[in-house]
Amino acid sequence: MTEPRTVVQQLVTANLILANEGVLDAFGHVSVRDPDQPNQFLLSTSKAPELVVAQDIISYGLDSEPVAPPTAALYAERYIHGEIYRARPDVLAICHHHSPAVLPFCVAGKPLVPVYQHGAMMGAHVPLWDSRDDFGDTNLLVVNSEQGASLARSLGDAKMVLMRHHGATVVGADLQELVFRAVTACKNAEFLYRALALGAVEGLTAGEVEKAARVPPMAMARAWQLWAGRVA
Ligand code: MN
């Protein structure tokens, strides 16, 4: 058997890290744009991220359908990935999750604003997608290209979008940046939730967000090394 490609191994590690750090649980998923085929992306078949191995990773087109006939069930919400890759050429990695850290903000509709250094990675404004705007009452899942495209429009040029009563979708310029942003955004949500219990909260200023968001790749590599070590 041939060795899995490096990008596949990195995607497996991203699955394990995001599960271990409390971003993903039985549900949610993480993908990466294929570096050799920009109109395709790599994503596991339907499996809890903590259990994903290289053999589960398959290629999808931007229509979010598998390139080769699948031999396993697929994630129902894979359309999130294809439609964001289609709308955002700058996005090379995507995570969709339902972390308990962000769900209170999705339910209450309160703004998720950066309140600490690495929270700035989310960007100053995290939009909230309301599926009712385009589709009325649904089962809350993103199960076709039209719904994925609606979510991508709500994301706009942001780094993360909250999904009303559902979860969040985070994007990155590579897997390392994506994982860093997904984990630190959940930490920021926890800090903000706790701080609000203490009283009114003032977020970072626009200038602070702009400066603090420029996290050096070396710092993100340091975090990846720690988190990958925990799942090795
Ligand atoms: Mn979901």
Side-chain angles (χ1 to χ4, degrees), residues 23 37 56 75 91 106 114 144 147 151-152 165 195 199 202-203 206 214 221:
V23 178
Q37 304 275 352
D56 297 318
Y75 290 130
V91 168
C106 306
N144 57 49
Q147 291 173 340
L151 175 67
H165 285 254
E202 192 180 312
R214 291 187 225 135

Side-chain angles (χ1 to χ4, degrees), residues 27-29 77 80 96-98 140-142 163 166-167:
F27 303 100
H29 19 84
E77 294 197 283
I80 291 171
H96 168 61
H97 68 79
H98 322 99
L140 298 174
L141 301 182
V142 178
M163 302 156 76
H166 178 167

Side-chain angles (χ1 to χ4, degrees), residues 111-173:
L112 178 57
V113 296
V115 291
Y116 89 112
Q117 181 196 353
H118 291 146
M121 288 284 286
M122 298 186 301
H125 175 61
V126 178
L128 174 69
W129 179 63
D130 187 340
S131 54
R132 295 175 305 179
D133 290 346
D134 287 337
F135 307 103
D137 289 344
T138 68
N139 66 356
L140 298 174
L141 301 182
V142 178
V143 294
N144 57 49
S145 293
E146 290 72 27
Q147 291 173 340
S150 172
L151 175 67
R153 283 194 297 277
S154 184
L155 172 69
D157 60 2
K159 305 293 190 190
M160 174 175 179
V161 58
L162 295 181
M163 302 156 76
R164 176 188 160 275
H165 285 254
H166 178 167
T169 298
V170 188
V171 304

Side-chain angles (χ1 to χ4, degrees), residues 67-89:
V67 170
T71 56
L74 307 175
Y75 290 130
E77 294 197 283
R78 60 190 181 278
Y79 301 94
I80 291 171
H81 300 261
E83 293 307 316
I84 291 176
Y85 287 126
R86 200 198 296 272
R88 289 279 299 270

Side-chain angles (χ1 to χ4, degrees), residues 162-228:
L162 295 181
M163 302 156 76
R164 176 188 160 275
H165 285 254
H166 178 167
T169 298
V170 188
V171 304
D174 56 46
L175 275 172
Q176 198 162 278
E177 183 190 286
L178 171 74
V179 166
F180 191 82
R181 177 173 293 118
V183 172
T184 56
C186 286
K187 288 184 192 293
N188 188 100
E190 287 169 1
F191 299 156
L192 175 55
Y193 181 87
R194 290 185 211 169
L196 285 167
L198 299 176
V201 171
E202 192 180 312
L204 303 185
T205 67
E208 285 171 335
V209 172
E210 198 263 326
K211 288 185 166 71
R214 291 187 225 135
V215 177
M218 193 180 72
M220 291 189 276
R222 184 164 114 187
W224 177 283
Q225 184 182 33
L226 171 67
W227 297 332

